[in-house]
Amino acid sequence: MGNETGRVEAFSDGVFAVIITILVLELKVPEETGSDFWHGVREQWPHYAAYVVSFLIIGVMWVNHHTIFSHLKKIDRPLLFLNLLVLMVVSVVPYTTNVLAEHLMEEDGSANAAAVLYSAVTVAYALAFLAFWWYVTRVGHLFHERVDKEGARATRVRFGLGAIAYPLTVLLAFYSATLTLVAHFLVAIYYAANQIPIPLVVEEERLESASDIRK
């Protein structure tokens, strides 16, 4: 089962790598030449801004995903499908990033619609990841022995903050697409700087538990 866990994580890492690669491929080459070249570069700032924000979001997703798998000793069939659900949602991010970048500066309402789409996908991801984490912590049978299962279960609320923050960005998208992108950047920075540690059992407690089992 340990090898199976490694295979699932390796497959997931590959998907994340492809997603990030597609993300950078969406950056456009300026059509302007000569003295207008730098003007063309500046005109594409929505693409650069959307790329930075989405790269940070996906990076934080990968870090959280890796952290969870580093605490698992085995996997089961439901977790495989929940992991696929997470990857399915994440793989849409390059598309929504490009849509938002293309329409960010338009004033006919399409910018707001693009921001709503972008935020809606992050809501879907937050819910998918929350379902993934709730299943892992529900019984705790997939964790390594050193993981404090009750402590891990107590982190559910903080893991679920995205399910509250991201719907708020959907509402903000109806007001301003640019502010919505800024809000996603701030949420990603929060999660990057405030990682949720999965608590481990103190060594003495683990030894006492092992002793009780032998008795």
Side-chain angles (χ1 to χ4, degrees), residues 12 15 24-25 27 35 37-38 54-55 103 107 115 124 127 130 158 177 183 197 199-200 211:
S12 302
V15 173
V24 73
L25 292 177
L27 296 179
S35 59
F37 175 78
W38 289 112
S54 294
F55 188 96
H103 297 279
E107 300 178 355
L127 294 176
L130 183 59
R158 290 183 64 193
L200 302 178
S211 177

Side-chain angles (χ1 to χ4, degrees), residues 64 68 122-123 125-134 137 152-168 187 190-191 194 196:
N64 287 333
I68 290 177
T122 59
V123 171
Y125 170 77
L127 294 176
F129 197 88
L130 183 59
F132 181 93
W133 182 239
W134 273 69
T137 57
R153 200 169 292 121
T155 66
R156 285 174 168 181
V157 174
R158 290 183 64 193
F159 261 97
L161 287 178
I164 300 174
Y166 289 125
L168 293 178
V187 173
Y190 168 79
Y191 276 112
N194 189 28
I196 303 172

Side-chain angles (χ1 to χ4, degrees), residues 4-183:
E4 289 297 314
T5 302
R7 286 184 62 192
V8 174
E9 187 175 9
F11 170 77
S12 302
D13 287 347
V15 173
F16 275 106
V18 171
I19 292 170
I20 288 178
T21 302
I22 294 175
L23 193 66
V24 73
L25 292 177
E26 294 296 341
L27 296 179
K28 309 297 183 181
V29 177
E31 297 180 357
E32 293 80 359
T33 59
S35 59
D36 293 329
F37 175 78
W38 289 112
H39 175 73
V41 172
R42 290 192 299 271
E43 285 296 308
Q44 293 196 39
W45 73 262
H47 287 273
Y48 308 140
Y51 166 77
V52 170
V53 173
S54 294
F55 188 96
L56 184 58
I57 290 174
I58 295 172
V60 172
M61 292 175 181
W62 175 78
V63 169
N64 287 333
H65 187 274
H66 171 72
T67 299
I68 290 177
F69 266 85
S70 67
H71 290 77
L72 300 181
K73 67 176 180 180
K74 60 182 180 180
I75 56 175
D76 59 11
R77 189 176 181 83
L79 187 64
L80 285 174
F81 283 106
L82 287 171
N83 188 63
L84 285 175
L85 178 62
V86 169
L87 296 177
M88 181 185 73
V89 179
V90 177
S91 64
V92 183
V93 173
Y95 164 72
T96 57
T97 300
N98 192 40
V99 171
L100 181 59
E102 288 286 347
H103 297 279
L104 188 61
M105 299 308 296
E106 296 183 5
E107 300 178 355
D108 58 356
S110 57
N112 299 95
V116 169
L117 176 64
Y118 186 89
S119 296
V121 169
T122 59
V123 171
Y125 170 77
L127 294 176
F129 197 88
L130 183 59
F132 181 93
W133 182 239
W134 273 69
Y135 178 77
V136 170
T137 57
R138 182 176 62 88
V139 178
H141 61 295
L142 305 178
F143 279 127
H144 286 295
E145 290 78 5
R146 291 189 60 196
V147 174
D148 180 355
K149 297 179 178 59
E150 288 298 326
R153 200 169 292 121
T155 66
R156 285 174 168 181
V157 174
R158 290 183 64 193
F159 261 97
L161 287 178
I164 300 174
Y166 289 125
L168 293 178
T169 66
V170 175
L171 298 177
L172 181 61
F174 287 99
Y175 172 74
S176 171
T178 303
L179 289 179
T180 301
L181 190 61
V182 173

